[in-house]
Amino acid sequence: MRMMMSMTGGGGTYYKNVKEKSYTVDKEFMGKEFLVKESLPNLQWKMEGETRVIGGYNCFKATAIRVASKTDFRNFRPKKEDAVATKPEDAAKKTSLLDALDMPKESIITAWYTPEIPVSQGPENYWGLPGLILEVNDGKTVILCSKVVLNPKVKTEIKASTKGKVTTQKKFDETVLKKMEEFREMNQGRGGNGGMRMRIGG
């Protein structure tokens, strides 16, 4: 898992245009820069009855189900049979690096938004609620807003990144998975047992 995160590099900076329903994010993968341009996901939010206060703002809970990204390794976990050492002949039967991972097909998103700041915005590519999303949880990762500045004295101009090879999210995912598979096959060719030991946590 640590090797995967190292290969994929930094997460980049998100630029989101709600009016055009699109986003741009610059990503680095194995020393190369990519510029992912894609439409914002149209999440079907379900309004829940719970409320809480975040940073002094009254927030409401909303949930949605979204398809899990094949290259978001934050949510991947090794399958139970791969969590322990396996025999070389058993490991050689693996046809793909991702065979050793549990890949959720979808994840439940929990968001807390405040109508007191009536903008349909949120972190990364989360949006679509009648208020600013101050916290979002995808089951494994929590993004929490730590500071809100309204009507700042110094205006900040927000521009989308322009560096990197322009691509779509689908093509970027395919590139990452292909390179990871090549990396696995290269290790096998060096006399490895074909398995990739992963330690998650501590």
Side-chain angles (χ1 to χ4, degrees):
M1 186 64 70
R2 288 174 180 152
M3 179 280 299
M4 291 178 188
M5 296 302 292
S6 177
M7 287 178 66
T8 55
T13 302
Y14 272 85
Y15 172 86
K16 185 165 50 198
N17 189 321
V18 171
K19 185 176 181 180
E20 297 179 1
K21 297 182 179 180
S22 65
Y23 73 90
T24 301
V25 57
D26 53 331
K27 292 174 177 283
E28 182 181 341
F29 176 64
M30 296 184 72
K32 294 182 180 181
E33 293 183 341
F34 294 86
L35 188 64
V36 177
K37 291 187 175 182
E38 197 61 80
S39 298
L40 284 170
N42 186 22
L43 296 176
Q44 301 299 312
W45 293 105
K46 177 184 177 182
M47 305 303 182
E48 307 288 353
E50 297 178 50
T51 63
R52 58 183 286 204
V53 176
I54 300 176
Y57 294 96
N58 293 312
C59 296
F60 294 84
K61 181 180 179 180
T63 58
I65 297 176
R66 73 179 299 174
V67 177
S69 169
K70 293 182 179 180
T71 57
D72 188 351
F73 302 113
R74 295 176 297 184
N75 293 331
F76 291 176
R77 293 293 180 267
K79 292 181 179 177
K80 292 181 179 180
E81 63 267 24
D82 295 301
V84 296
T86 57
K87 297 179 181 179
E89 57 270 23
D90 292 333
K93 294 178 182 178
K94 295 295 180 184
T95 58
S96 169
L97 169 65
L98 298 180
D99 287 341
L101 298 172
D102 268 328
M103 297 173 57
K105 293 182 179 180
E106 58 187 25
S107 57
I108 298 176
I109 308 301
T110 301
W112 294 90
Y113 70 96
T114 176
E116 295 175 16
I117 305 178
V119 293
S120 183
Q121 280 283 11
E124 294 189 354
N125 54 13
Y126 296 107
W127 71 295
L129 287 167
L132 181 65
I133 298 174
L134 296 184
E135 181 179 320
V136 65
N137 184 337
D138 66 1
K140 298 294 181 182
T141 303
V142 177
I143 304 174
L144 176 65
C145 175
S146 59
K147 185 178 182 180
V148 176
V149 179
L150 299 177
N151 303 314
K153 295 180 180 179
V154 179
K155 300 294 182 180
T156 301
E157 187 177 4
I158 301 175
K159 292 183 178 181
S161 177
T162 58
K163 63 180 182 179
K165 178 183 177 181
V166 177
T167 186
T168 63
Q169 186 66 54
K170 181 180 179 180
K171 290 183 178 179
F172 177 78
D173 290 349
E174 290 174 350
T175 298
V176 171
L177 295 176
K178 180 181 178 181
K179 291 297 182 182
M180 287 179 58
E181 187 61 31
E182 290 175 357
F183 183 84
R184 183 189 73 93
E185 292 174 354
M186 181 177 64
N187 277 356
Q188 283 182 325
R190 291 177 177 174
N193 63 9
M196 180 170 284
R197 299 182 187 279
M198 283 173 278
R199 179 180 177 184
I200 299 173

